[in-house]
Amino acid sequence: SISHRLWPEIEKVVHQQVAWARLGLGDSGTGWQLFAEDGEMRMYRREEEVDGMVVDPLKAVHIVKGITGHEVCHYFFSPQYRYDWETTLEQMTVLETIADDTCLFLQTHKRIWPASQRDVIFWSHIRHLPNDQDRDGPDIWTVVNHSTEHKDYPANSGKCVRIFLTVCLLCQTRVNPPKEGTPITRDDISCKITYCSVVNPGGWAPASVLRALYKREYPKFLKRFTSYVTNQTKDKPIMF
Ligand SMILES: O=S(=O)(CCO)c1ccc(-c2ccc(C3CCCC3)c([C@@H]3C[C@@H]3c3ccccn3)c2)cc1
């Protein structure tokens, strides 16, 4: 709700992330390198380090048939499904339900050898940006996750290294209009998904280890998540 202390930051970060996600990858001069490809999914990263730590920005684009952007964002945002698709998750706590479209999460991720275990606190906000201005503009659904602090959970106070992240899942639904007068079915829809993330691993971890970890985990994560949404929605009415 707009009275919450985080609201100004949420507004700023959501608009910044939507603009960033909608930017193409530019020409090769922008340093984006394709590091994973699987069917319609393409994953790019830029090699960046801050204080000797790998903070490679990641941008993935995926086109999935038969689901909508609203459905993809619904299953990504809603806490009750997360253990079903987030395989590296060890513990998830909803610290605060700020509004029906905004939650505060504490997550601990499974320890991935040789890195030490990580935890993260982030606000998560789901937003529909309709294109009612110009009809042929994109109709966008998005979820933005952005790390924040919480007085009851100071960083690095337990066994976990606190990480920092900003994630934007941006979805645009495409409808191939069926024959005049026939209802739209899942065969007539597809969703273009752009997933952007910047993860600061907190404590130091070897660049080679982190890059190998990201190369393995991110493609698995996006394929598993989108397959999960396809399975969850296949026998349900379409959520536009
Ligand atoms: O999109 S989300 O908001 C979905 C909500 O869960 C999200 C995605 C990823 C992470 C994440 C947190 C920690 C770590 C590492 C860093 C050093 C040691 C553990 C990783 C590594 C990259 C690997 C990874 C990549 C993708 C998915 C899961 N694991 C990822 C957190 C949140």
Side-chain angles (χ1 to χ4, degrees):
S1 55
I2 56 174
S3 60
H4 193 273
R5 66 183 173 82
L6 283 173
W7 192 251
E9 179 183 89
I10 291 170
E11 273 301 292
K12 184 188 73 165
V13 174
V14 167
H15 284 96
Q16 181 190 67
Q17 287 299 309
V18 166
W20 170 253
R22 292 183 65 190
L23 279 183
L25 292 149
D27 50 43
S28 57
T30 52
W32 287 106
Q33 48 175 273
L34 178 67
F35 77 89
E37 202 168 355
D38 183 318
E40 289 297 314
M41 184 185 77
R42 292 197 182 19
M43 270 197 170
Y44 303 82
R45 71 171 166 209
R46 274 216 317 255
E47 299 208 354
E48 285 183 16
E49 301 192 7
V50 169
D51 301 334
M53 284 191 304
V54 167
V55 290
D56 300 357
L58 178 128
K59 189 176 259 198
V61 183
H62 195 7
I63 296 175
V64 184
K65 294 187 187 329
I67 54 179
T68 66
H70 187 183
E71 290 168 338
V72 171
C73 288
H74 170 72
Y75 287 100
F76 188 76
F77 171 76
S78 307
Q80 65 265 34
Y81 310 111
R82 195 157 299 170
Y83 285 110
D84 298 345
W85 55 264
E86 176 66 287
T87 52
T88 65
L89 193 60
E90 181 173 278
Q91 172 78 29
M92 172 196 72
T93 310
V94 178
L95 297 178
E96 203 180 328
T97 300
I98 294 169
D100 59 4
D101 60 5
T102 311
C103 288
L104 196 61
F105 290 101
L106 165 63
Q107 294 191 169
T108 54
H109 284 256
K110 289 173 183 151
R111 184 172 182 280
I112 300 178
W113 187 86
S116 46
Q117 188 163 35
R118 257 69 181 180
D119 67 8
V120 57
I121 295 178
F122 59 90
W123 52 257
S124 183
H125 178 72
I126 184 169
R127 174 80 62 91
H128 181 207
L129 297 164
N131 64 352
D132 34 21
Q133 296 87 355
D134 53 343
R135 276 302 309 145
D136 57 356
D139 179 284
I140 288 170
W141 275 90
T142 189
V143 175
V144 176
N145 295 343
H146 182 74
S147 36
T148 186
E149 293 166 359
H150 191 285
K151 57 185 181 349
D152 302 347
Y153 300 89
N156 307 318
S157 59
K159 62 181 180 341
C160 292
V161 172
R162 179 65 49 87
I163 69 167
F164 303 90
L165 58 77
T166 302
V167 164
C168 177
L169 182 75
L170 186 130
C171 300
Q172 293 176 249
T173 306
R174 295 169 170 170
V175 181
N176 295 322
K179 267 188 14 284
E180 190 64 29
T182 58
I184 296 176
T185 73
R186 290 195 179 274
D187 295 338
D188 308 317
I189 60 172
S190 66
C191 182
K192 181 186 174 192
I193 299 169
T194 304
Y195 176 86
C196 300
S197 88
V198 179
V199 174
N200 179 322
W204 186 80
S208 56
V209 165
L210 277 177
R211 288 190 170 123
L213 193 152
Y214 292 171
K215 193 173 170 76
R216 192 182 67 236
E217 292 294 331
Y218 273 114
K220 215 164 70 177
F221 156 77
L222 196 56
K223 281 184 68 62
R224 178 180 170 90
F225 171 65
T226 50
S227 308
Y228 175 77
V229 177
T230 300
N231 288 326
Q232 285 291 316
T233 53
K234 65 182 186 300
D235 304 323
K236 294 187 177 80
I238 301 172
M239 254 169 96
F240 283 105

